[in-house]
C-alpha cells in the first residue's frame, strides 16, 4: 500500500514524504514521467542541503522575478509533469496575477501526457493552456530535445519565460532567442540555474506560491520602481549566496557532529 495513510503525521520527515506522495500520485495518474521521480530525488537532496527553508537569497530572487513578470509584455509559464503534480494551483495563481500564459512543455514528450497535464491545469482554474495544439506548433532553435517543440503564440513569441524545475538544455536556447528566463531550481549549480536571468533557489512547493503572492502584492506598482528592482538584482550574487549557504549549513552540522 502506498499513499498518505502510510505517512504518520508524527514522522519527522512527514512533510517531505507527503510531497513525495503527490509526485507518486502524479506518476500513477500519467502526469509525471518515470524520470521525474528521479529528478525529484535530486531536488530533495539539494533541499536537504539547503535546510528545507526559503532563505533570503530566494526571497530576493522572488521579488525580482515578480517585478520582471509584471514588466513583461508576453510572459509565459512553462509547465512539465513534475510541476503539474506538485503545484498546479500556485501556477494558476501566478498566471492570473501577472497575466501570463501557461504552456505545457515536456522533455519526455509521449502518449497523451501533455493533454493530461493540460486537463489538470484546467482543473486548477486555468484556461487556454498552450502546448498541445499541433496546428500552432513552432520550433525553438538551438535545442535537440522534445522541448524544442513550442507554441508559436506562447513560448516562441514570449519576452519572458518562467521555467520551474527542469533539465538544463533549454535556458541557453531561450536566452539565445532573446528571452528573459526565470528559473525555479533547488540546484544552484545546475545549467538552468546558472544560465537564467533570475534563479529562485528553493523548492517549487514553497517558491511557486511565494512568487504568485509577490506578483499579486506588486501588481499596480509604478513601472519605474519595478525596473529599479529588476535593475538592482544580481543573479550571480544570488547563486553565490546559495552555494555559500549550503557550505555554512554543512559546516554547522559538522561542528555539532
Ligand atoms: O515532464 P518532463 O517530460 O518535462 O520531464 C521533467 C523532468 C523534471 C523529468 C526533466 O526536466 C528532468 O529530467 O529534469 P532534471 O535534469 O532531473 O532536472 C531537474 C532539476 O530540477 C534539477 O536541478 C533538480 O535539482 C531540480 N528540482 C527537482 N525537484 C525540485 C527541483 N527544483 C525545485 N523544486 C523541486 N521540487
Amino acid at each position: 500500500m502506498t499513499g498518505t495513510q502510510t505517512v504518520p503525521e508524527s514522522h519527522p520527515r512527514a512533510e517531505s514524504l507527503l510531497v513525495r506522495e503527490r509526485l507518486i500520485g502524479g506518476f500513477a495518474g500519467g502526469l509525471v514521467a518515470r524520470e521525474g521521480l528521479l529528478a525529484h530525488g535530486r531536488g530533495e537532496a539539494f533541499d536537504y542541503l539547503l535546510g528545507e527553508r526559503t532563505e533570503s537569497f530566494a526571497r530576493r530572487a522572488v521579488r525580482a522575478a515578480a517585478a520582471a513578470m509584471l514588466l513583461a509584455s508576453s510572459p509565459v509559464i512553462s509547465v512539465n509533469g513534475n510541476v503539474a503534480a506538485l503545484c498546479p494551483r500556485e501556477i494558476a495563481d501566478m498566471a492570473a496575477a501577472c497575466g501570463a500564459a501557461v504552456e505545457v512543455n515536456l522533455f519526455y514528450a509521449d502518449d497523451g501526457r501533455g493533454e493530461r497535464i493540460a486537463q489538470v491545469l484546467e482543473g486548477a482554474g486555468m484556461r487556454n493552456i498552450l502546448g498541445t495544439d499541433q496546428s500552432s506548433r513552432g520550433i525553438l532553435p538551438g535545442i535537440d530535445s522534445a522541448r524544442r517543440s513550442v507554441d508559436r503564440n506562447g513560448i516562441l513569441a514570449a519576452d519572458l519565460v518562467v521555467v520551474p524545475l527542469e533539465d538544463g538544455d533549454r535556458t541557453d536556447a531561450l536566452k539565445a532567442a532573446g528571452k528573459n528566463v526565470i528559473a525555479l531550481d533547488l540546484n544552484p549549480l545546475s545549467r538552468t540555474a546558472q544560465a537564467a536571468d533570475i534563479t529562485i533557489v528553493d523548492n517549487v512547493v514553497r517558491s511557486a506560491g511565494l512568487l504568485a503572492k509577490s506578483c499579486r502584492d506588486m501588481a499596480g506598482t509604478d513601472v519605474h520602481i519595478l525596473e529599479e528592482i529588476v535593475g538592482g538584482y544580481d543573479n550571480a550574487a544570488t547563486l553565490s549566496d546559495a552555494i555559500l549557504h549550503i557550505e555554512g549549513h554543512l559546516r554547522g552540522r559538522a561542528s555539532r557532529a
Side-chain angles (χ1 to χ4, degrees), residues 1-19 21:
M1 181 167 73
T2 61
T4 49
Q5 313 93 298
T6 58
V7 180
E9 274 177 38
S10 58
H11 192 286
R13 301 205 45 76
E15 218 174 296
S16 170
L17 294 179
L18 288 172
V19 172
E21 291 301 328

Side-chain angles (χ1 to χ4, degrees), residues 79-118:
V79 174
N80 63 22
N82 288 45
V83 171
L86 291 176
C87 51
R89 266 177 288 280
E90 289 83 351
I91 297 293
D93 213 11
M94 201 189 288
C98 74
V102 174
E103 179 166 340
V104 179
N105 180 271
L106 302 179
F107 185 82
Y108 301 101
D110 51 25
D111 60 350
R113 199 157 57 89
E115 284 73 17
R116 286 193 291 278
I117 291 171

